[in-house]
Short mmCIF file of all heavy atoms in Angstrom, two decimals:
data_model
loop_
_atom_site.label_atom_id
_atom_site.label_comp_id
_atom_site.label_asym_id
_atom_site.label_seq_id
_atom_site.Cartn_x
_atom_site.Cartn_y
_atom_site.Cartn_z
N CYS S 29 9.40 -5.29 18.55
CA CYS S 29 9.77 -4.27 17.74
C CYS S 29 10.17 -3.06 18.54
O CYS S 29 9.53 -2.95 19.62
CB CYS S 29 8.71 -3.94 16.61
SG CYS S 29 9.18 -2.73 15.40
N ASN S 30 11.02 -2.16 18.06
CA ASN S 30 11.30 -0.94 18.86
C ASN S 30 10.36 0.18 18.43
O ASN S 30 10.53 1.18 19.02
CB ASN S 30 12.76 -0.52 18.54
CG ASN S 30 13.00 -0.36 17.05
OD1 ASN S 30 12.55 -1.01 16.27
ND2 ASN S 30 13.95 0.64 16.77
N LEU S 31 9.62 -0.04 17.50
CA LEU S 31 8.59 0.98 17.04
C LEU S 31 7.12 0.59 17.28
O LEU S 31 6.97 -0.67 17.56
CB LEU S 31 8.77 1.35 15.57
CG LEU S 31 10.12 1.89 15.14
CD1 LEU S 31 10.16 2.25 13.74
CD2 LEU S 31 10.62 3.09 16.00
N HIS S 32 6.18 1.45 17.21
CA HIS S 32 4.83 1.05 17.39
C HIS S 32 3.91 1.84 16.32
O HIS S 32 3.24 2.68 16.68
CB HIS S 32 4.38 1.53 18.80
CG HIS S 32 5.16 0.90 19.91
ND1 HIS S 32 4.99 -0.35 20.37
CD2 HIS S 32 6.27 1.41 20.61
CE1 HIS S 32 5.81 -0.64 21.32
NE2 HIS S 32 6.69 0.50 21.32
N CYS S 33 4.11 1.30 15.06
CA CYS S 33 3.42 1.95 13.99
C CYS S 33 1.87 1.71 14.09
O CYS S 33 1.52 0.54 14.26
CB CYS S 33 3.91 1.51 12.67
SG CYS S 33 5.68 1.66 12.52
N PHE S 35 -0.18 1.57 11.79
CA PHE S 35 -0.75 0.68 10.55
C PHE S 35 -0.06 -0.73 10.60
O PHE S 35 -0.21 -1.44 9.71
CB PHE S 35 -0.44 1.32 9.27
CG PHE S 35 0.97 1.60 9.02
CD1 PHE S 35 1.81 0.79 8.47
CD2 PHE S 35 1.54 2.91 9.44
CE1 PHE S 35 3.18 1.01 8.26
CE2 PHE S 35 2.83 3.11 9.18
CZ PHE S 35 3.77 2.22 8.60
N CYS S 36 0.68 -1.10 11.70
CA CYS S 36 1.41 -2.47 11.70
C CYS S 36 0.33 -3.55 11.52
O CYS S 36 -0.68 -3.59 12.25
CB CYS S 36 2.14 -2.53 13.04
SG CYS S 36 3.10 -4.06 13.01
N ASP S 37 0.57 -4.43 10.54
CA ASP S 37 -0.39 -5.52 10.30
C ASP S 37 0.25 -6.84 10.60
O ASP S 37 -0.25 -7.92 10.09
CB ASP S 37 -0.81 -5.40 8.82
CG ASP S 37 0.31 -5.57 7.82
OD1 ASP S 37 1.50 -5.74 8.25
OD2 ASP S 37 0.11 -5.50 6.67
N THR S 38 1.29 -6.86 11.43
CA THR S 38 1.92 -8.13 11.83
C THR S 38 1.77 -8.36 13.35
O THR S 38 2.14 -7.50 14.02
CB THR S 38 3.34 -8.04 11.46
OG1 THR S 38 3.56 -7.60 10.08
CG2 THR S 38 4.03 -9.40 11.62
N HIS S 40 3.54 -9.76 16.08
CA HIS S 40 4.92 -10.17 16.33
C HIS S 40 5.20 -10.28 17.74
O HIS S 40 6.38 -10.61 18.00
CB HIS S 40 5.82 -9.23 15.48
CG HIS S 40 5.73 -7.86 15.91
ND1 HIS S 40 6.17 -7.35 17.08
CD2 HIS S 40 5.12 -6.73 15.30
CE1 HIS S 40 5.98 -6.17 17.22
NE2 HIS S 40 5.32 -5.68 16.16
N GLY S 67 10.20 -9.35 11.04
CA GLY S 67 9.71 -9.16 12.42
C GLY S 67 8.23 -8.74 12.40
O GLY S 67 7.57 -8.84 11.36
N GLY S 68 8.01 -7.88 13.38
CA GLY S 68 8.89 -7.24 14.42
C GLY S 68 10.10 -6.61 13.73
O GLY S 68 10.21 -6.25 12.53
N GLU S 69 11.17 -6.49 14.68
CA GLU S 69 12.36 -5.83 14.18
C GLU S 69 13.58 -6.81 14.47
O GLU S 69 14.11 -6.99 15.54
CB GLU S 69 12.65 -4.47 14.84
CG GLU S 69 13.96 -3.85 14.60
CD GLU S 69 14.15 -3.86 13.03
OE1 GLU S 69 13.35 -3.49 12.21
OE2 GLU S 69 15.30 -4.28 12.65
N ASN S 94 13.31 -2.02 9.79
CA ASN S 94 12.78 -0.69 9.65
C ASN S 94 13.96 0.20 9.58
O ASN S 94 13.78 1.50 9.49
CB ASN S 94 11.91 -0.31 10.98
CG ASN S 94 12.61 -0.33 12.16
OD1 ASN S 94 13.77 -0.24 12.47
ND2 ASN S 94 11.81 -0.85 13.25
N SER S 113 12.47 -0.62 5.35
CA SER S 113 11.13 -0.14 5.08
C SER S 113 11.10 1.02 6.29
O SER S 113 10.73 0.71 7.41
CB SER S 113 10.13 -1.18 5.36
OG SER S 113 8.89 -0.59 5.07
N LYS S 115 10.30 4.03 8.67
CA LYS S 115 9.14 4.51 9.43
C LYS S 115 9.51 5.95 9.86
O LYS S 115 10.39 6.56 9.31
CB LYS S 115 8.79 3.59 10.61
CG LYS S 115 8.62 2.15 10.22
CD LYS S 115 7.44 1.92 9.27
CE LYS S 115 7.16 0.56 8.85
NZ LYS S 115 8.28 -0.28 8.11
S1 SF4 H 1 8.41 -1.13 12.42
FE1 SF4 H 1 7.25 -2.69 11.15
S2 SF4 H 1 6.99 -4.38 12.72
FE2 SF4 H 1 7.53 -2.57 13.84
S3 SF4 H 1 5.64 -1.69 14.53
FE3 SF4 H 1 6.26 -0.61 12.60
S4 SF4 H 1 5.25 -1.90 10.99
FE4 SF4 H 1 5.15 -3.14 12.84
#
Side-chain angles (χ1 to χ4, degrees):
C29 186
N30 59 326
L31 301 182
H32 303 280
C33 308
F35 57 86
C36 185
D37 59 2
T38 309
H40 58 75
E69 177 45 51
N94 60 36
S113 187
K115 305 298 183 297

